[in-house]
Amino acid sequence: MSKASEFIEALRRIEESGDVEPMARLFAPNAELSNVALNRPFRGPDGARNFWRGYRHTFGEVQSDFRCVVESDRSSVLEWKSHGTLASGVVFSYEGVSVIEHPAGMITRFKAYFDPRALGIQLEHAA
């Protein structure tokens, strides 16, 4: 199975059941996880657990659909759109791109790029 496929399958587990362990196992001890809305990156498998728990707790329901997946033996780029409800029940939809570096098989860097205003505006209405 390709690293992108493993990542997508692990994300589906998080979104459906909240189980972050399959995702955490994909990350190297020195891995760095971030997105454009974070001030500092999360690190390693424990950081991955915290990052993905935080992601899942933001939403009541969430589903990500992937439009384009580009992969080499060292990295993957995933274009996605996520939709569902926030924890408050407000409907949301946003899209972006995730860059995943996995030069030796394990993920060493993950960064998600999206317009935080698209989700932030919806979060604002939820308050």
Side-chain angles (χ1 to χ4, degrees):
M1 181 182 285
S2 73
K3 191 55 64 180
S5 296
E6 287 181 78
F7 179 89
I8 291 168
E9 181 59 33
L11 182 61
R12 291 202 196 296
R13 295 269 303 267
I14 292 168
E15 292 179 343
E16 292 171 4
S17 70
D19 182 5
V20 299
E21 288 309 312
M23 182 68 83
R25 286 193 293 270
L26 298 177
F27 285 84
N30 63 338
E32 182 176 291
L33 298 84
S34 63
N35 66 38
V36 294
L38 294 174
N39 293 329
R40 62 172 182 77
F42 288 77
R43 300 200 183 275
D46 285 338
R49 284 181 191 89
N50 291 330
F51 179 93
W52 293 107
R53 279 186 193 121
Y55 166 83
R56 185 60 186 93
H57 288 287
T58 301
F59 308 111
E61 294 182 7
V62 59
Q63 179 182 335
S64 296
D65 300 311
F66 295 87
R67 292 185 217 177
C68 183
V69 176
V70 179
E71 185 168 39
S72 75
D73 59 344
R74 299 182 54 80
S75 61
S76 302
V77 177
L78 310 168
E79 181 187 9
W80 48 264
K81 182 173 186 176
S82 297
H83 56 92
T85 59
L86 298 173
S88 65
V90 172
V91 173
F92 79 92
S93 177
Y94 75 124
E95 57 190 282
V97 173
S98 295
V99 177
I100 304 169
E101 295 175 20
H102 46 81
M106 297 194 76
I107 297 172
T108 57
R109 183 173 174 269
F110 167 87
K111 183 144 188 181
Y113 297 89
F114 57 91
D115 182 354
R117 294 174 300 175
L119 191 54
I121 290 168
Q122 291 158 342
L123 287 170
E124 208 173 85
H125 291 299

